[in-house]
Amino acid sequence: MLTTKMPLSIIYETEGVTPVSEVINALTATDILLKQAIELLPSLYEGLEVTECSLNVLSLTQQSPLKELFIVSLIYTFQEDLEREIPKLIETCFKTEIGEDYDTILTVLFMTVVFYGTGLAIDAIKRVSSSSLSKAKYEELVRLLAAHSHKTPDEIKKIINAKFSNSNATKKVISNAKKLFSPSKHGNDAPLHIDRALISEDVVREIPFAGDREKDSDFDRFEPYDNVEIQIHAMDLDKSATGWAAVIPSIIEKRMKLRVMPPLTPQEVWGASKIRGDVVIVEKFTANGYQPNEIQLIKAYPAPDPREGA
């Protein structure tokens, strides 16, 4: 059984004294998000088992800027047949600075979880899967994790998606990712540093406020799929109240409402019973978990010319 302690610092470039309520929100969110990140470690480093973890406040300065300095303590073990190989890799990642911005790989993993959550939060507000600075930051961090593990970026994304496939886990990561930025949001979108990595004002501005009364729709998910077959089962432009219905056999057999998203127009797919296109599946947050609810058609591909190959 091995023990390691790692630093983590968060500095908000706020002006004046930050309200205690916002400091508490941020501290609680940091603790929850860090533990979610630590739960991913065994999937990144097979054979590693974290038996205990804790986040302790080393220093807290409420004056401008707001500074939160932490010590993260981990107790972990390895499978017996990996005791020689894995500890060297773990020690390298835990003890060595990752580039110019991060003290340890744990900070990178923590930030990956944070921006996974804020990316989902932005989609839920916009009601569509969209590009955002949070998602760009998430992609960058995934690539950095891949460079310091035995996993590819795609494998890391699958691990993270599996971790947050549960609706309660997703709700927790979205809610706390927003709360982490509470001091910045209430400080006119003030930038912040996590270790030495700057999170700019532009990034903070996109992130929704953490509301006291969050609705279930604040946690809806928007999952994109490219170039899939869409079977249109009902098409009637006069039925504006009910819209169109469709099935995507490769994803789900459930018949769902089909919504054509601008700049695409209904006329571009009118009359077709089967098309290929890029879609987003809207998954509604419910008491029984996530339920697919709607297909958003983002792009339609031209139908092949039947004369080709004749």
Side-chain angles (χ1 to χ4, degrees):
M1 196 169 288
L2 302 171
T3 303
T4 189
K5 295 184 177 182
M6 295 162 286
L8 173 66
S9 67
I10 305 178
I11 301 175
Y12 300 85
E13 295 183 10
T14 52
E15 296 182 0
V17 178
T18 304
V20 171
S21 59
E22 304 309 329
V23 176
I24 293 173
N25 272 342
L27 289 172
T28 303
T30 300
D31 185 53
I32 291 171
L33 293 165
L34 183 71
K35 287 176 179 176
Q36 286 185 312
I38 289 171
E39 289 171 359
L40 292 168
L41 279 172
S43 298
L44 286 178
Y45 302 103
E46 296 174 8
L48 169 70
E49 180 181 352
V50 178
T51 58
E52 189 176 330
C53 66
S54 63
L55 177 70
N56 300 300
V57 178
L58 185 63
S59 174
L60 176 63
T61 304
Q62 196 179 354
Q63 300 294 331
S64 177
L66 170 63
K67 296 181 179 180
E68 300 172 349
L69 306 180
F70 306 95
I71 289 293
V72 183
S73 299
L74 288 184
I75 298 176
Y76 55 96
T77 60
F78 301 96
Q79 292 179 9
E80 186 175 347
D81 56 338
L82 297 174
E83 285 183 350
R84 293 183 180 180
E85 177 185 355
I86 298 296
K88 294 180 181 178
L89 177 61
I90 293 295
E91 183 177 359
T92 299
C93 291
F94 284 173
K95 304 292 185 182
T96 305
E97 293 182 359
I98 309 299
E100 298 179 355
D101 293 331
Y102 309 104
D103 287 327
T104 68
I105 198 68
L106 186 58
T107 305
V108 179
L109 188 54
F110 168 72
M111 290 183 64
T112 304
V113 170
V114 169
F115 284 109
Y116 177 84
T118 56
L120 292 177
I122 292 168
D123 284 351
I125 290 294
K126 292 183 176 181
R127 309 306 302 164
V128 68
S129 178
S130 61
S131 60
S132 64
L133 296 175
S134 280
K135 285 188 179 179
K137 193 67 179 175
Y138 170 74
E139 295 289 341
E140 172 191 324
L141 290 161
V142 166
R143 291 193 295 270
L144 189 56
L145 279 175
H148 290 85
S149 69
H150 288 163
K151 304 293 183 183
T152 67
D154 284 344
E155 288 173 333
I156 291 172
K157 288 179 185 179
K158 287 179 181 178
I159 290 169
I160 293 172
N161 289 337
K163 162 68 180 173
F164 297 109
S165 60
N166 176 277
S167 57
N168 289 329
T170 303
K171 182 176 183 178
K172 185 183 290 187
V173 74
I174 292 174
S175 181
N176 285 286
K178 291 189 290 186
K179 288 178 181 178
L180 179 73
F181 291 92
S182 289
S184 289
K185 297 299 293 183
H186 288 268
N188 297 317
D189 297 321
L192 65 152
H193 290 83
I194 300 182
D195 283 355
R196 291 166 301 283
L198 172 66
I199 313 303
S200 71
E201 183 179 345
D202 289 339
V203 174
V204 176
R205 187 180 295 112
E206 284 188 338
I207 299 168
F209 276 90
D212 293 329
R213 298 180 179 179
E214 293 174 315
K215 309 180 294 295
D216 283 350
S217 60
D218 292 334
F219 305 103
D220 291 347
R221 292 196 305 206
F222 297 77
E223 298 291 339
Y225 297 90
D226 293 338
N227 195 15
V228 295
E229 180 185 284
I230 306 150
Q231 298 177 359
I232 301 174
H233 285 233
M235 297 177 63
D236 189 343
L237 289 176
D238 294 327
K239 292 183 179 179
S240 57
T242 57
W244 299 359
V247 168
I248 304 178
S250 62
I251 301 174
I252 187 170
E253 291 287 349
K254 177 184 176 181
R255 179 169 166 164
M256 290 182 285
K257 178 181 178 181
L258 175 67
R259 187 150 66 102
V260 179
M261 306 297 291
L264 193 66
T265 64
Q267 287 72 22
E268 292 179 70
V269 294
W270 176 256
S273 61
K274 186 184 297 183
I275 62 173
R276 295 198 70 85
D278 297 344
V279 302
V280 170
I281 304 295
V282 181
E283 298 180 352
K284 302 289 289 183
F285 180 88
T286 73
N288 298 318
Y290 280 101
Q291 301 294 329
N293 177 262
E294 180 183 88
I295 301 169
Q296 296 178 347
L297 181 60
I298 308 299
K299 178 181 179 180
Y301 292 95
D305 189 333
R307 294 172 298 180
E308 291 182 3

